[in-house]
Amino acid sequence: MDTVLFAVLMAMAAVAQLWPVHLSVKMKITVDDTATFAAALLLGPFYAMILAGGTTLIALHFRGVRQRWYNRGFNAATSVLSTGAAATVFLLVAGAGGQVVREPWAIGLAALAKYLIHSTLVDLVVALQMRRNPIAGWWTLHRRLLPYEAALLVLGALAAIAAQAQPWTLLLFGVPMAVVLLTLRDSARVREQTKSAILELADLIDLVLLKPGPLTDEEQREMRRHAEIGHRLLSRLPEFWEGAELVLSHHERHDGAGYPRGLKGDELPIEVSVISVADTYDAMTTDRPYRKGLAWDAVRAELVRQRGKQWRELAVDSFIEMIDDERRNARVERPQTTQGPVQPAAHALT
């Protein structure tokens, strides 16, 4: 192993992890794949895995991230396993001592192994935490990041080709890595700004709902337009266009008496009933100028009454079960008041 090459790649990978871009509460992305993939192609499985795990732990330490040991262990393990898989695939296809520049198929298969192993491990853990199917919505979750991931892996392959001749050329690849990082950060910032704008729009729409007294016919017609307005807005935004259809349909009813299109039964995806049930719960339990928010028993009774009419049965049953479970857990966790004098312990430890 070339010690200088190992040291340079390790420094690049560690520095790249110091500035992650957070895509959600549970997910973030860094640009260290360029360095770790280059290590997989150049150093072999053993040293590449040491580099991947070591740089992850070093970066977490210097970032001052407060994580439990198992979270740190998982982050290091995903990097170790995905990088090790890439190095192993390259070694098996190209053979020992293979020249990176002459092995495009081996590079492609190694890149695919690295991406699939890492994304699968992260998806499984997030799915367990969120209690969702890790396969459902895979393309929706990953399609936006695939170009960035592909760019980082291509940069890693080019870095390995260049470094096999001149190790110092690795330093030049810090510039495109920084460009990818800045592009990711700008994309995440636009996404958050778009989300904030949509939430503010939703708050403006709710101000109709806060009018004291019943709505006029004209106000009712205007209210019914908000589903179409929301659909048009979201369909033009790359981050939210897949949810536009659900917004358009969230006032449709299972029995066909909803609006704007009067869809019914299986014409409506289950997500529409899920959104509608949650929307109704929020509306019924929130204080309005003309009434106080309703208690859960009254809301529950209304949900049961409209089960199979306004909403699909599965959505109602799942929602009621969830709320009932939360209320039971809250009662169990509520501290009990001890009545009567406290008896002294029979023995005391000295």
Side-chain angles (χ1 to χ4, degrees), residues 245-324:
E245 186 64 24
L246 301 180
V247 170
L248 179 63
S249 304
H250 77 283
H251 281 295
E252 302 284 1
R253 291 173 52 108
H254 190 60
D255 59 9
Y259 65 88
R261 292 174 291 176
L263 303 180
K264 64 183 297 185
D266 291 337
E267 295 176 331
L268 292 169
I270 184 63
E271 290 88 350
V272 170
S273 284
V274 171
I275 293 171
S276 183
V277 168
D279 189 40
T280 300
Y281 173 82
D282 178 68
M284 295 180 72
T285 56
T286 301
D287 290 342
R288 303 293 188 197
Y290 48 88
R291 64 155 174 81
K292 299 291 288 183
L294 302 179
W296 166 239
D297 290 342
V299 176
R300 192 183 196 281
E302 179 63 16
L303 293 176
V304 171
R305 188 177 72 84
Q306 291 293 338
R307 179 182 179 274
K309 300 175 186 176
Q310 187 168 349
W311 310 289
R312 190 174 296 191
E313 293 90 340
L314 177 60
V316 173
D317 294 344
S318 298
F319 187 83
I320 289 176
E321 181 182 1
M322 178 186 71
I323 299 297
D324 283 344

Side-chain angles (χ1 to χ4, degrees), residues 17-334:
Q17 292 191 60
L18 293 178
W19 296 282
V21 176
H22 290 268
L23 305 175
S24 68
V25 175
K26 296 290 182 181
M27 296 188 69
K28 66 180 182 296
I29 187 171
T30 58
V31 295
D32 61 296
D33 276 346
T34 292
T36 55
F37 188 52
L41 301 179
L42 294 171
L43 302 179
F46 180 73
Y47 289 109
M49 292 169 74
I50 290 177
L51 183 145
T55 54
T56 300
L57 295 175
I58 290 170
L60 288 173
H61 173 74
F62 281 102
R63 278 166 46 200
V65 177
R66 293 183 179 180
Q67 285 186 336
R68 295 185 181 276
W69 65 267
Y70 48 81
N71 287 331
R72 290 174 180 262
F74 173 77
N75 289 331
T78 55
S79 185
V80 167
L81 292 174
S82 60
T83 303
T88 302
V89 168
F90 181 79
L91 183 63
L92 291 175
V93 177
Q99 294 292 309
V100 180
V101 70
R102 298 177 182 175
E103 302 293 343
W105 283 105
I107 292 173
L109 292 173
L112 185 63
K114 181 171 175 58
Y115 176 75
L116 289 179
I117 294 295
H118 187 274
S119 62
T120 299
L121 289 172
V122 173
D123 287 349
L124 284 173
V125 170
V126 172
L128 288 172
Q129 291 179 330
M130 304 296 290
R131 297 182 180 179
R132 71 185 185 197
N133 186 340
I135 299 176
W138 185 92
W139 177 245
T140 301
L141 181 64
H142 289 280
R143 67 180 178 82
R144 184 168 57 88
L145 296 179
L146 273 176
Y148 300 108
E149 296 282 1
L152 292 172
L153 294 173
V154 169
L155 286 174
L158 294 175
I161 292 171
Q164 205 160 40
Q166 294 290 342
W168 66 266
T169 58
L170 283 172
L171 299 176
L172 301 177
F173 286 85
V175 175
M177 288 170 63
V179 171
V180 174
L181 176 64
L182 293 174
T183 304
L184 273 169
R185 186 159 293 173
D186 288 342
S187 175
R189 186 179 297 115
V190 170
R191 188 168 183 260
E192 287 302 313
Q193 290 171 346
T194 303
K195 186 186 297 183
S196 298
I198 290 173
L199 291 174
E200 289 179 10
L201 178 62
D203 290 339
L204 288 174
I205 291 173
D206 284 344
L207 293 177
V208 179
L209 297 177
L210 294 177
K211 176 191 174 184
L215 300 179
T216 65
D217 292 341
E218 180 63 27
E219 289 169 336
Q220 286 281 7
R221 285 192 294 271
E222 199 63 29
M223 264 297 300
R224 293 197 167 201
R225 290 184 59 235
H226 82 273
E228 298 176 46
I229 294 172
H231 174 264
R232 284 202 304 271
L233 174 64
L234 293 184
S235 63
R236 297 171 184 170
L237 301 173
E239 298 293 341
F240 298 95
W241 67 268
E242 290 172 305
E245 186 64 24
L246 301 180
V247 170
L248 179 63
S249 304
H250 77 283
H251 281 295
E252 302 284 1
R253 291 173 52 108
H254 190 60
D255 59 9
Y259 65 88
R261 292 174 291 176
L263 303 180
K264 64 183 297 185
D266 291 337
E267 295 176 331
L268 292 169
I270 184 63
E271 290 88 350
V272 170
S273 284
V274 171
I275 293 171
S276 183
V277 168
D279 189 40
T280 300
Y281 173 82
D282 178 68
M284 295 180 72
T285 56
T286 301
D287 290 342
R288 303 293 188 197
Y290 48 88
R291 64 155 174 81
K292 299 291 288 183
L294 302 179
W296 166 239
D297 290 342
V299 176
R300 192 183 196 281
E302 179 63 16
L303 293 176
V304 171
R305 188 177 72 84
Q306 291 293 338
R307 179 182 179 274
K309 300 175 186 176
Q310 187 168 349
W311 310 289
R312 190 174 296 191
E313 293 90 340
L314 177 60
V316 173
D317 294 344
S318 298
F319 187 83
I320 289 176
E321 181 182 1
M322 178 186 71
I323 299 297
D324 283 344
D325 284 346
E326 288 183 356
R327 290 169 61 83
R328 277 194 297 270
N329 292 337
R331 285 195 294 268
V332 170
E333 294 172 2
R334 188 178 300 129

